[in-house]
Amino acid sequence: MRTEKQITYIAGLNTVRAAAALSVVFAHLLGPSMPGISRYIFTGHPAVIAFFVISGICIHFPFRAAELSSVTFLKRRYTRIMIPTAVALILAQWIGIRAYNPIDGYILWSVICEIIYYSLYPLFLPISRKVGWPAMIAASVIISYVAVIGLGSDEYGNAQIYGPSLNWVVSLPAWLMGCYIAQIYRSGLYVGSIWIWRAATAITASTLYWATTNTPIGFYLTMIPFGVLACGWILSEASNAERGHASAVMEKIGEACFSIYLIHVIAAAAIERLGITSPVIVCTGSLLLVIPFFFLVEKPAHELSRRLGRRMVAGTPH
């Protein structure tokens, strides 16, 4: 059996990434045309919360007991996220999607949050070693709820309407939960039936989507507890993958999740300009157009980030 020191990554995360990314795509491109309550099957914001949890896991996992070179870490993370984002932003403006920008927050609001989390991680890490991640999560939950309850939300109960200066504060608990999961993760962990976790997460996400558009209980109030549920789902997927049961297709799709997230609305707009209006065709075409973006933009940026990060962890072999 592998020891903790031999674990260099947590398997199964790409499956979660794939499910979350596809949920966002289907919510944006198929959901509005679906009848009745079926339009709530696919969700956007809950999927982004799952992304934040995974981000926290991936950022902290290499540094659970290692020293951090802040400059190299930030150089690597900025390269990884900013190059694909910049290219997507240029494409969006060329297509004419003016709301696709860091200020208005369409799609890019979560990317801005990620950049802020990366920037703060070199501060979070030493604090976590003094007070612990649970205390930091508790403090962030209080701050998040003070912000959203004090400011309220829009008529739809959205949780990303507070602009670049506050959106990251609202979603910070989910990201810190991911850091805590990375800290406590152990090989061989089993948290129950994978299908129960999948069903519970999907049903809860859909229910909260319905609630946020039909009741006063919006995403701005429910995403923190959903983040806890997402942690359980993510751990169950990791356990499932460790036992050799992960879907090869979903794991492969998950590698391109950032490209899927960035490009799908841009690709959809380009396809619709050709006079194609069928939601199924637009959605399918959008996913196909992700492929060249991934190989021409995201993957090279990822490789450059890896090269910059070869000496990221001080004192560890590469």
Side-chain angles (χ1 to χ4, degrees):
M1 179 178 293
R2 295 176 296 175
T3 66
E4 181 184 348
K5 290 184 178 180
Q6 292 174 314
I7 303 173
T8 58
Y9 71 99
I10 300 177
L13 296 186
N14 275 342
T15 293
V16 180
R17 288 188 179 107
L22 292 175
S23 182
V24 170
V25 172
F26 297 154
H28 286 163
L29 303 184
L30 294 181
S33 66
M34 296 173 70
I37 63 171
S38 66
R39 71 184 59 186
Y40 301 108
I41 292 176
F42 305 111
T43 63
H45 201 93
V48 173
I49 293 299
F51 279 136
F52 285 151
V53 174
I54 292 175
S55 174
I57 293 172
C58 292
I59 291 301
H60 182 56
F61 195 75
F63 303 106
R64 292 170 297 165
E67 295 303 316
L68 172 70
S69 171
S70 298
V71 173
T72 306
F73 168 79
L74 293 174
K75 187 185 299 184
R76 181 187 181 193
R77 297 317 304 179
Y78 291 162
T79 299
R80 174 74 176 86
I81 196 171
M82 286 184 175
I83 291 176
T85 300
V87 174
L89 178 59
I90 292 170
L91 290 174
Q93 300 310 304
W94 179 53
I95 291 294
I97 310 177
R98 298 292 175 248
Y100 196 109
N101 65 71
I103 305 302
D104 293 324
Y106 184 58
I107 295 293
L108 295 187
W109 74 269
S110 67
V111 177
I112 299 301
C113 290
E114 291 280 5
I115 292 172
I116 294 173
Y117 299 151
Y118 298 161
S119 300
L120 291 175
Y121 180 71
L123 298 177
F124 288 157
L125 183 60
I127 294 173
S128 73
R129 290 174 177 172
K130 291 183 178 297
V131 304
W133 292 108
M136 295 174 66
I137 293 169
S140 71
V141 168
I142 293 171
I143 295 170
S144 177
Y145 272 124
V146 166
V148 299
I149 293 174
L151 296 174
S153 185
D154 60 9
E155 61 181 311
Y156 302 109
N158 284 313
Q160 76 278 12
I161 63 166
Y162 308 102
S165 63
L166 279 181
N167 282 334
W168 71 273
V169 173
V170 174
S171 299
L172 179 60
W175 197 83
L176 294 179
M177 289 178 200
C179 294
Y180 179 60
I181 292 299
Q183 187 68 44
I184 66 171
Y185 182 79
R186 298 293 183 272
S187 179
L189 182 67
Y190 179 69
V191 294
S193 169
I194 182 68
W195 287 107
I196 290 177
W197 281 105
R198 287 171 176 171
T201 304
I203 292 171
T204 301
S206 295
T207 301
L208 296 180
Y209 184 18
W210 175 88
T212 206
T213 56
N214 294 281
T215 79
I217 306 174
F219 282 149
Y220 73 114
L221 296 174
T222 61
M223 286 300 95
I224 290 177
F226 180 79
V228 177
L229 178 62
C231 287
W233 171 40
I234 291 166
L235 284 173
S236 71
E237 292 289 355
S239 174
N240 186 63
E242 188 178 31
R243 298 196 306 274
H245 300 152
S247 165
V249 173
M250 292 294 281
E251 287 289 294
K252 182 61 67 173
I253 292 173
E255 293 179 8
C257 68
F258 191 44
S259 292
I260 294 172
Y261 185 75
L262 286 176
I263 287 298
H264 71 279
V265 293
I266 302 172
I271 293 170
E272 288 169 351
R273 283 194 172 188
L274 299 176
I276 300 172
T277 59
S278 167
V280 173
I281 296 176
V282 170
C283 184
T284 302
S286 298
L287 290 174
L288 291 175
L289 288 175
V290 166
I291 298 173
F293 186 87
F294 173 71
F295 283 106
L296 296 176
V297 180
E298 183 184 359
K299 192 171 182 179
H302 198 178
E303 291 300 324
L304 176 59
S305 171
R306 284 177 175 172
R307 289 197 295 272
L308 292 173
R310 283 175 183 167
R311 299 185 180 275
M312 183 176 60
V313 182
T316 60
H318 298 281

